[in-house]
Amino acid sequence: MTAVQPSPTAAGEHEAQLTVGRRTDGAEGVVVLELVDPTGADLPGWTPGAHVDLLLAPDLVRQYSLCGDPADRTRYRIGVLREEAGRGGSAHVHEHLHEGAQVPVRGPRNNFELVPADRYVFVAGGIGITPLLPMAAAARAAGTPYELHYGGRSRRSMAFLEELEGTLHPQDEVGLLDLDAILADLPEGTRVYCCGPEPLLAAVEQRVPAGRLHVERFAPKDVGEPVRTDSFEVELSLSGTTLTVPPDRSIMAVLRENGVEVLSSCEEGTCGTCETGVLEGEVDHRDSLLTPDEQAANDVMFVCVSRAACPKLVLEL
């Protein structure tokens, strides 16, 4: 079988057809996949916090955190929890990505980078453990002090327990994560990383200053109503074209309608694929990725969900 070699996409990312190795011993409801190049070639490198896109069907693209060893370029490892109330991605993975199957994979991409710190506190809920596994390993290898707190419904539902060096909080044994205790009196220089369901993220955000907290969301957060309820313009700096974006259409949709291709994936402001440079204007940031400081810089936006907070934006397109 001849592998599809990685080739640059419109955004300079790599895409390749990878072969699936499958394990079902991750945890209750979790399948662990190891994705390899069928020729044995090395895969693009990645850093803790990175994810890849699985192109499961023409209109079904999902992002999964890499949870293996970044030093191992021969494989990507992901853990996928079957979400019965989800949008179909996890069900497709569980039902169709069998041993030996092939799947197009795009990336890796990292919007959840592990930044240097004097100390780390990692807080995981459920399958949110996946991006934090390589982070904890990196901190351990660097000799940086850290705590890892991992909550789940029960031990049976908690993946990768055999690899963890941290504190387990199975809800059926000890109750919910005691965030007041975990996050109290954090020493200066501590960074908190959290991944899991929205109630956990919201609770952590209430307890940790934004400048010290890094979160990764599975679903978009509620950002309220748009700043503007009328149309606005976007000027494309590379072509000089100006387009009108009506209240009921996204910038992404208008770009596509006018033949401007921007790489996209989640289309809900959580994956970072459609990041676009902003040259002029004020953005109504509606994503779940940028920190308050990054939003205030006003130099990038995610055109799948974010809009204008002014009559006209000039974009680096």
Side-chain angles (χ1 to χ4, degrees):
M1 183 181 297
T2 302
V4 178
Q5 294 301 314
S7 57
T9 66
E13 293 187 315
H14 291 272
E15 186 177 313
Q17 196 89 358
L18 302 184
T19 301
V20 174
R22 179 173 171 126
R23 289 171 39 199
T24 55
D25 59 345
E28 187 175 77
V30 175
V31 65
V32 178
L33 303 183
E34 292 187 338
L35 309 172
V36 302
D37 187 294
T39 68
D42 281 352
L43 301 174
W46 59 282
T47 54
H51 68 265
V52 291
D53 296 345
L54 268 56
L55 285 65
L56 302 171
D59 295 317
L60 189 63
V61 180
R62 294 292 183 267
Q63 299 76 42
Y64 296 103
S65 297
L66 295 173
C67 59
D69 179 1
D72 183 359
R73 297 282 298 277
T74 66
R75 67 194 65 243
Y76 291 151
R77 186 177 71 164
I78 62 174
V80 182
L81 171 66
R82 180 160 187 154
E83 298 276 7
E84 298 299 341
R87 297 178 297 147
S90 65
H92 184 103
V93 169
H94 278 249
E95 294 172 8
H96 298 289
L97 293 191
H98 302 297
E99 182 78 22
Q102 291 207 327
V103 60
V105 177
R106 187 167 62 204
R109 183 185 317 112
N110 199 337
N111 302 303
F112 194 41
E113 287 276 7
L114 183 66
V115 301
D118 296 334
R119 181 175 175 271
Y120 298 105
V121 175
F122 302 114
V123 181
I127 199 62
I129 189 63
T130 49
L132 302 185
L133 273 177
M135 290 187 179
R140 187 164 59 248
T144 304
Y146 74 91
E147 297 176 21
L148 172 62
H149 296 272
Y150 180 19
R153 295 188 310 277
S154 68
R155 291 177 188 269
R156 295 190 309 277
S157 70
M158 298 167 70
F160 306 109
L161 294 186
E162 72 282 359
E163 301 179 26
L164 289 171
E165 293 186 19
T167 304
L168 302 182
H169 303 260
Q171 187 175 344
D172 62 348
E173 297 177 23
V174 300
L176 296 173
L177 286 158
D178 186 352
L179 296 177
D180 288 332
I182 293 169
L183 302 173
D185 301 320
L186 296 175
E188 198 66 32
T190 301
R191 294 278 185 154
V192 177
Y193 281 78
C194 181
C195 185
E198 183 58 32
L200 172 64
L201 300 183
V204 172
E205 286 177 326
Q206 292 174 0
R207 291 165 170 82
V208 182
R212 302 173 66 181
L213 175 63
H214 307 262
V215 301
E216 183 165 66
R217 283 181 155 81
F218 299 145
K221 62 183 179 182
D222 183 2
V223 293
E225 294 299 316
V227 172
R228 296 176 62 91
T229 58
D230 55 349
S231 299
F232 59 90
E233 293 183 335
V234 291
E235 179 182 329
L236 312 184
S237 65
L238 301 183
S239 66
T241 303
T242 298
L243 304 173
T244 298
V245 180
D248 61 342
R249 305 290 285 165
S250 67
I251 297 176
M252 173 75 76
V254 172
L255 291 172
R256 285 177 174 165
E257 290 166 3
N258 287 273
V260 180
E261 288 300 321
V262 176
L263 197 64
S264 67
S265 184
C266 72
E267 300 200 15
E268 56 184 17
T270 59
C271 76
T273 310
C274 67
E275 181 175 333
T276 301
V278 179
L279 301 179
E280 294 179 27
E282 184 181 354
V283 179
D284 176 11
H285 291 285
R286 308 185 62 74
D287 64 273
S288 302
L289 287 161
L290 297 178
T291 66
D293 286 345
E294 289 170 338
Q295 291 185 350
N298 219 48
D299 55 359
V300 298
M301 70 182 300
F302 299 100
V303 293
C304 64
V305 292
S306 293
R307 305 183 66 78
C310 61
K312 182 178 180 179
L313 293 173
V314 180
L315 304 182
E316 198 173 1
L317 289 172

